[in-house]
Amino acid sequence: MIRYNMNQPGKSLGVIGLGGLGHMAVKFGKAFGLSVTVLSTSTSKKEEALSLLGADNFVVTSDQEQMKGLSKSLDFIIDTASGDHPFDPYLSLLKSAGVYALVGFPSEIKFSPASLSPGMKTFAGSVTGGTKMIQEMIGFCAARKIYPQIEVIPIQYANEALERLVKKDVKYRFVIDIENSLK
């Protein structure tokens, strides 16, 4: 988010995918002073996005009226979704010179050049920063008490955790408690 200047107070951020990365994008966005909108395919995470994570807005992407109302309103989008999904509808939500950062891993990326070029939009990919950026991020998190939402599990529960992961039944990360699992 720092690399693409997504830390400018008063700007707007859309977050696609409210999982392990997406919930942290919401937390970072709020800490940076952004107006954060979660973009989701269903209402199932609406209450958590707004109440627990502090998002300002929640939009169901299958609702054409909600999407139309958000047209050209976002400065930034961070896409954390790994499943295949269309890109053109999301690109239409960016303002001129908006930035779309893909951090998820869909199997393919397809969008019309007309969704990108006329508005001077930037489409970028990123996995992680270098050591210095990671250290700065950890320091930022410590100073502002930004922590991931996790579910701690014993190693014996790993197979069930994988099954739940496939069913998208995890909020938001599993963490294996190695120390207590080996006793």
Side-chain angles (χ1 to χ4, degrees), residues 31-173:
F32 291 144
L34 303 176
S35 173
V36 179
T37 298
V38 172
L39 304 163
S40 183
T41 56
S42 75
T43 59
S44 66
K45 294 183 180 177
K46 181 177 182 175
E47 188 60 34
E48 279 185 66
L50 298 172
S51 299
L52 178 68
L53 301 175
D56 300 288
N57 194 13
F58 188 95
V59 170
V60 177
T61 57
S62 60
D63 184 325
Q64 296 303 313
E65 288 303 310
Q66 285 187 42
M67 289 292 282
K68 200 178 292 182
L70 207 56
S71 180
K72 297 180 182 174
S73 68
L74 300 173
D75 295 293
F76 315 110
I77 293 177
I78 186 160
D79 184 345
T80 69
S82 290
D84 289 336
H85 56 283
F87 290 88
D88 290 303
Y90 297 113
L91 284 165
S92 73
L93 304 180
L94 286 174
K95 294 177 181 177
S96 288
V99 177
Y100 190 115
L102 178 65
V103 297
F105 280 88
S107 65
E108 68 178 6
I109 300 169
K110 291 173 93 171
F111 56 84
S112 168
S115 294
L116 190 65
S117 300
M120 300 180 301
K121 298 170 186 169
T122 299
F123 189 95
S126 184
V127 179
T128 186
T131 303
K132 183 177 184 282
M133 287 183 101
I134 292 170
Q135 289 171 334
E136 289 171 359
M137 176 193 65
I138 291 170
F140 182 83
C141 289
R144 288 165 182 77
K145 299 187 181 337
I146 299 171
Y147 308 111
Q149 302 295 120
I150 62 168
E151 182 177 338
V152 179
I153 61 169
I155 197 161
Q156 296 83 357
Y157 188 74
N159 288 334
E160 288 89 339
L162 286 172
E163 290 172 13
R164 284 183 53 201
L165 196 59
V166 168
K167 295 176 189 172
K168 298 182 180 178
D169 178 29
V170 57
K171 294 182 182 166
Y172 289 86
R173 289 277 189 210

